[in-house]
């Protein structure tokens, strides 16, 4: 795994079609490369989703892959938004981690993504792996 990849995989409120200031910021400061997917399970937390890891390769979460132009400042802003910045209460809501992201007809890339860091017991699982219907 690449330690500091220039890619970010998003699957919820940071996707381009979601009307949110942080989604607009990401669109302005990164290049959208298209749809991607990663291994995991998606849950509806409130008005946003949470991705948790899965050992089953058939569990896929779908979202968008971005190439970041300048990683440090943008990731710091996104960490604050995702509740895992330095000032976030512990345990943090999400953890930013590097995982493999697959794109149709492309080589897999290592990308940053946000893993949900709380229990999902009793929360509805999004079986399609898609937070926003295509």
């Amino acid at each position: 795994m690449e330690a500091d990849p220039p890619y970010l995989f998003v699957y919820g409120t940071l996707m381009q079609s979601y009307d949110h200031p942080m989604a607009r910021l990401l669109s302005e400061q990164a290049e959208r490369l298209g749809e991607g997917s990663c291994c995991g399970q998606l849950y509806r937390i409130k008005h946003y989703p949470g991705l948790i890891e899965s050992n089953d390769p058939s569990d896929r979460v779908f979202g968008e892959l971005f190439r970041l132009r300048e990683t440090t400042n943008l990731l710091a802003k996104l960490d604050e938004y995702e509740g895992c910045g330095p000032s976030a209460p512990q345990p943090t809501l999400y953890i930013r981690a590097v995982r493999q992201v697959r794109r149709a007809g492309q080589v897999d890339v290592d990308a940053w993504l946000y893993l949900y860091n709380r229990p999902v017991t009793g929360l509805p699982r999004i079986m399609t792996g898609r937070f926003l219907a295509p």
Side-chain angles (χ1 to χ4, degrees):
M1 292 263 176
E2 194 174 333
D4 192 16
Y7 300 103
L8 175 69
F9 175 73
V10 298
Y11 54 86
T13 60
L14 290 174
M15 289 195 294
Q16 221 168 33
S17 59
Y18 203 85
D19 186 28
H20 189 279
M22 293 307 284
R24 288 192 288 279
L25 178 73
L26 178 59
S27 287
E28 290 163 8
Q29 297 192 10
E31 176 191 357
R32 184 181 183 275
L33 300 177
E35 183 175 277
S37 71
C38 69
C39 185
Q41 295 179 348
L42 197 61
Y43 285 83
R44 179 172 294 282
I45 310 304
K46 291 182 182 166
H47 61 280
Y48 56 89
L51 164 67
I52 64 165
E53 297 196 82
S54 171
N55 293 325
D56 182 347
S58 68
D59 286 338
R60 304 300 297 175
V61 172
F62 297 89
E64 297 172 342
L65 185 66
F66 286 85
R67 179 183 293 119
L68 307 176
R69 293 190 187 100
E70 189 283 315
T71 57
T72 308
N73 289 334
L74 180 57
L75 286 174
K77 290 176 186 169
L78 294 175
D79 285 354
E80 286 296 319
Y81 171 68
E82 296 289 359
C84 65
S87 63
Q90 297 295 322
T92 58
L93 192 57
Y94 289 86
I95 297 171
R96 181 163 44 90
V98 176
R99 296 294 181 270
Q100 278 213 318
V101 174
R102 183 180 302 156
R103 293 187 304 156
Q106 305 276 334
V107 175
D108 290 0
V109 296
D110 291 340
W112 291 111
L113 55 73
Y114 290 93
L115 294 170
Y116 189 62
N117 192 34
R118 302 270 170 89
V120 294
T121 310
L123 295 173
R125 182 168 168 203
I126 302 170
M127 298 304 291
T128 61
R130 294 177 189 277
F131 177 61
L132 300 174

